[in-house]
Each structure stands twice: as structure tokens, then as C-alpha cells.
Amino acid sequence: MRIKKIYFLSLILALIKLLVAYLVYRSHNLDFGKSLIGWDELQWQNAATFFYENGYDFNSIKLSFGLDGGFTNGGWPYLIGLLHYIVGYHYFNAVILRVILFLIACNAFYTILIRTGHGQKVTIISILFLAFYHPFFVADATYLRDDIVVYLIIILLRLAMVRGYLKGILAVVLFLLTAYVLILSRPFAFLVFISLYLFYFKCFRWIHWVLLIPPFLCMIFLGTDLLSYGMNFLSYFRFDVKNILVSSFKYYIGPLPWNMIGIDSGYNPLWYALTLSLILLGFTLPAFYRSLALNWRVMVALFMTGLFPYIISNQEVDAVGPRQFAMVGPFLFVILYGDIIKNISIKRSESYQTA
């Protein structure tokens, strides 16, 4: 039986990511209590250890809300804690789980983009972007959750496209479980999913709205923390034009490469110089503005769900940067640059064409 090329490609990409993560893990002697990029690596390490030591039932989840990170401990750290339980307590479990989720998301992303008419070339390049997107790639050996959030959004979008009675039942169960993990990993990420679901990939079906009820009921039964947090968080917003403009610039364009020199962030200034150049090049192409005009609804939705929460956070602490933008980065790549990529033609030589 012939294996589809996308399965082979995704497996190769997953193995590359696993190998690089292992090399980083070994070269930096990473272990519990150590971080590579951000202090919140330690937060997720501790939360995963909490579940390993205290169990995985309803009460353990509620107790985990009292740790640093609050109710977001019930998502990504909970999954790592389960893997600790299954294969043994080891730092590298987070890397293994990350690669598994990437492998699933990679195949799901392929199906989503092909079914929505993006074409083979755009789809393959978008998958390569997902694999080597710098904020994700440099974090593959860590406990950070930024790429995990994107993988879960992609998986939810794929599950929302499932048709058929028997497949639909399985998809419903998986959708509810994945939605739960996403919400308790980064709550506003679920709104990013809704934005893409409604305004770009257009997966809307009436039955899906019924499926939204159980996750939110689950949140209520777990305590009022999530709902009260959301309302209190929104109440902190103070309209400040300067803050909105500066945060938007940092979110979409930053960080400027020269601001990264001498800062141990795990990011490469040369990489960001390259990506900034490509972004600015896109601004000179008519196809970029056509994509922006055609997709203004999803752009507004992603602004509200992807950036607006960080504009609020930025009022208290500098919370806007590449890791925050990463939640929408792979999707904006498809939305804004898909047509540009589609119009790029690579001419083959005459001798090659006639060979």
C-alpha cells in the first residue's frame, strides 16, 4: 500500500524537530528547574510535576488552579503529567508530546488547506513554515506552550470539517477533549479558533454550536475562576491610543532585529532580519493588499482575539512579542501571503521538461 507523500513529509519534519530538540536538550543540559527561553517554562514544569505527584482526577485539576498559571495548568501541563505517568518521569516527555502533536497538526493542516482550495504549493510551503517558524522551532526542547496552542487550533479546525455519522461521533468526542485542553492552556486561543472557523475556513454548521455547550459547562463545574477571570481581565482595559499603536507595531512587526542583540532570549537576530525583510517586501506587492481587503473580517477578528488580550496585559507588564504573535503567525502567513506564493512560478529548463 502506497503511503501518501504528506505522511512521509510530516514524519521527516517531525524527526528533524525531534533531533534538533534532542541536541539542544543535551547541549544545554536541560532538566527540571532549568529554562532556556522564558521563566514560564518552570511554571509548566512544576504544574506537570504536580499532576504526576497528585493524580489526574477532578480534584487535582481544581487544586492545580492554585499554582502559578492558575486554571491554565489544566491544559498543556496536564497532558505532560499524563505522559509522566505512562512512560515515567522525565524532562524529555514534553518534547516527545510536542512532536506527536506537531505530527497530528501537520497532517491536519494539509487536509484543511487542500480542502479549502489553497493548492498544493501553498499548502506544502505553509506546512514547512509551521515546522520551522522560529518561535516554535527554538522552543522545541522546552516546556513552552506557544506552538502547542497553534497545533490544538489546527486540530480543532480539522475536526470541525469531519463529515459522516460514525466519523462525526468520534470527531465530537475528540473535539470536546481538544477544546478542553486548548481552553485550559490559553483561554483566548479558543476565540482565535472561532475567528478562523467563522471568517476564514468557514466551517460553520449549526450542530457545532451544540458542541460548544459541554466545554463551557465543564469550565463552570470546575469552578467560576475561568468566567470571573475573563470578566475581570476585560475590566482592566483602559483606552490608550499610544499603547494600542505601540503594542500593534510590536505584535505585527517586532521585534526589530537590532533590539535583540545582547539579549538572551533564545531568538536569532539574523532570522528576524530576514523575516522582517520578507514582510516589508510583501507590503510592496498588490497581492498582499488584495488578500488584506478580501480577508478583512478575519483580520479584525484575529486582532481582537489574538492581540487585544495582550494590549490589556501590556498595560501592566511588557507582554507583546514574538511568542504572543506566534499564536496567529502561521495563520496570517496563509491568509496574507497565500496568493503571493500561489502566483510565484518557477520555470523549469526546456531540457528538464522534455526529459
Side-chain angles (χ1 to χ4, degrees):
M1 182 177 179
R2 187 164 159 254
I3 301 175
K4 289 184 178 180
K5 291 181 179 179
I6 182 57
Y7 296 155
F8 179 73
L9 174 62
S10 59
L11 181 60
I12 292 298
L13 293 175
L15 290 175
I16 291 173
K17 291 172 74 67
L18 182 62
L19 175 60
V20 173
Y22 179 76
L23 293 175
V24 172
Y25 161 76
R26 294 288 296 185
S27 62
H28 289 270
N29 295 314
L30 294 176
D31 203 346
F32 295 107
K34 293 184 178 180
S35 63
L36 183 66
I37 295 176
W39 63 268
D40 43 351
E41 294 175 55
L42 304 179
Q43 181 173 285
W44 310 130
Q45 289 177 22
N46 293 335
T49 299
F50 171 86
F51 287 113
Y52 174 72
E53 294 176 344
N54 294 277
Y56 308 92
D57 59 8
F58 183 84
N59 289 329
S60 294
I61 295 173
K62 290 192 68 174
L63 287 173
S64 74
F65 292 171
L67 303 174
D68 290 338
F71 51 79
T72 55
N73 292 317
W76 167 236
Y78 185 83
L79 292 182
I80 303 172
L82 283 175
L83 195 59
H84 285 332
Y85 174 76
I86 295 170
V87 302
Y89 185 66
H90 197 282
Y91 176 94
F92 207 70
N93 287 341
V95 179
I96 294 172
L97 184 56
R98 169 176 269 109
V99 171
I100 291 172
L101 288 174
F102 164 78
L103 193 59
I104 297 170
C106 187
N107 287 281
F109 207 31
Y110 178 86
T111 301
I112 292 167
L113 294 179
I114 290 296
R115 286 192 180 182
T116 49
H118 286 81
Q120 192 79 9
K121 180 167 60 176
V122 173
T123 299
I124 295 301
I125 293 177
S126 298
I127 287 173
L128 292 174
F129 183 90
L130 181 69
F132 300 115
Y133 182 39
H134 196 56
F136 294 172
F137 197 62
V138 298
D140 276 343
T142 74
Y143 274 61
L144 294 177
R145 56 182 177 160
D146 306 299
D147 53 341
I148 302 302
V149 167
V150 172
Y151 300 157
L152 293 174
I153 291 172
I154 291 172
I155 293 169
L156 282 177
L157 288 167
R158 176 67 186 94
L159 291 171
M161 293 183 176
V162 171
R163 297 290 187 272
Y165 182 73
L166 293 178
K167 288 183 178 179
I169 293 175
L170 178 60
V172 166
V173 175
L174 293 175
F175 182 94
L176 295 178
L177 291 173
T178 307
Y180 160 81
V181 175
L182 179 62
I183 291 170
L184 289 190
S185 294
R186 186 178 289 169
F188 287 107
F190 192 77
L191 299 180
V192 171
F193 158 73
I194 293 294
S195 301
L196 295 163
Y197 163 90
L198 287 176
F199 299 113
Y200 189 69
F201 293 110
K202 298 177 181 177
C203 311
F204 176 77
R205 294 170 64 198
W206 286 107
I207 188 63
H208 290 164
W209 291 104
V210 178
L211 301 181
L212 294 179
I213 297 174
F216 286 102
L217 286 179
C218 183
M219 299 305 107
I220 294 173
F221 288 133
L222 284 172
T224 59
D225 305 73
L226 182 60
L227 297 177
S228 61
Y229 168 83
M231 297 306 297
N232 290 335
F233 184 78
L234 291 174
S235 70
Y236 295 151
F237 177 65
R238 299 186 301 275
F239 184 78
D240 184 334
V241 174
K242 180 181 177 182
N243 178 46
I244 293 174
L245 293 177
V246 171
S247 296
S248 298
F249 179 83
K250 291 175 62 180
Y251 187 75
Y252 289 111
I253 305 297
L256 298 175
W258 50 86
N259 290 335
M260 302 175 67
I261 297 174
I263 298 176
D264 186 17
S265 63
Y267 300 116
N268 189 330
L270 294 177
W271 173 265
Y272 277 91
L274 173 63
T275 55
L276 180 60
S277 299
L278 293 175
I279 290 172
L280 295 177
L281 175 63
F283 288 169
T284 67
L285 302 174
F288 175 86
Y289 296 98
R290 284 198 299 269
S291 297
L292 193 60
L294 287 172
N295 299 293
W296 67 270
R297 290 181 179 84
V298 71
M299 293 299 296
V300 171
L302 290 178
F303 173 86
M304 295 302 299
T305 58
L307 171 58
F308 189 70
Y310 294 112
I311 289 178
I312 298 176
S313 299
N314 200 58
Q315 295 174 148
E316 304 296 331
V317 62
D318 187 4
V320 178
R323 287 181 50 203
Q324 288 70 42
F325 177 76
M327 182 169 60
V328 299
F331 304 113
L332 288 180
F333 178 80
V334 175
I335 295 168
L336 294 177
Y337 296 95
D339 283 345
I340 295 174
I341 295 170
K342 192 179 295 183
N343 293 330
I344 296 175
S345 60
I346 303 174
K347 294 183 178 180
R348 296 176 294 177
S349 66
E350 185 176 344
S351 60
Y352 177 78
Q353 292 182 50
T354 57

